[in-house]
Amino acid sequence: KYAFEDRARGVVEVDFKCSPDGWRLGIKDDGCGVAEGTAPPAIGLGSQLMQAFAQQAGGTHELHLSEHGCEVRLESNGRSES
């Protein structure tokens, strides 16, 4: 919604890897990003959902913002306590 607001096109990469030890989901874009030293935007509904999913799966959620876009990673070691 916001990543490509000043352009007609952009790239979003989705990567999923699964192994006996767990899984990793990565989502990355080349959107407008956030300039270094700038406060990150408020956490939106999408970020809240990703955090909740990672917690429910017994995993971790990481968000990396840069001036070159955004990258989100969800990882699980396969040992969920649910």
Side-chain angles (χ1 to χ4, degrees), residues 17-43:
K17 295 198 184 329
C18 190
S19 73
D21 297 327
W23 53 265
R24 188 182 123 215
L25 172 66
I27 305 166
K28 185 170 146 179
D29 70 44
D30 69 342
C32 60
V34 176
E36 192 171 327
T38 303
I43 294 178

Side-chain angles (χ1 to χ4, degrees), residues 14-76:
V14 178
D15 181 51
F16 183 78
K17 295 198 184 329
C18 190
S19 73
D21 297 327
W23 53 265
R24 188 182 123 215
L25 172 66
I27 305 166
K28 185 170 146 179
D29 70 44
D30 69 342
C32 60
V34 176
E36 192 171 327
T38 303
I43 294 178
L45 179 60
S47 291
Q48 291 175 14
L49 289 171
M50 296 294 261
Q51 287 175 342
F53 176 72
Q55 184 177 17
Q56 187 177 28
T60 61
H61 168 263
E62 294 180 20
L63 174 64
H64 300 277
L65 300 171
S66 75
E67 66 236 19
H68 304 292
C70 175
E71 183 175 1
V72 177
R73 271 183 262 162
L74 301 176
E75 293 187 54
S76 175

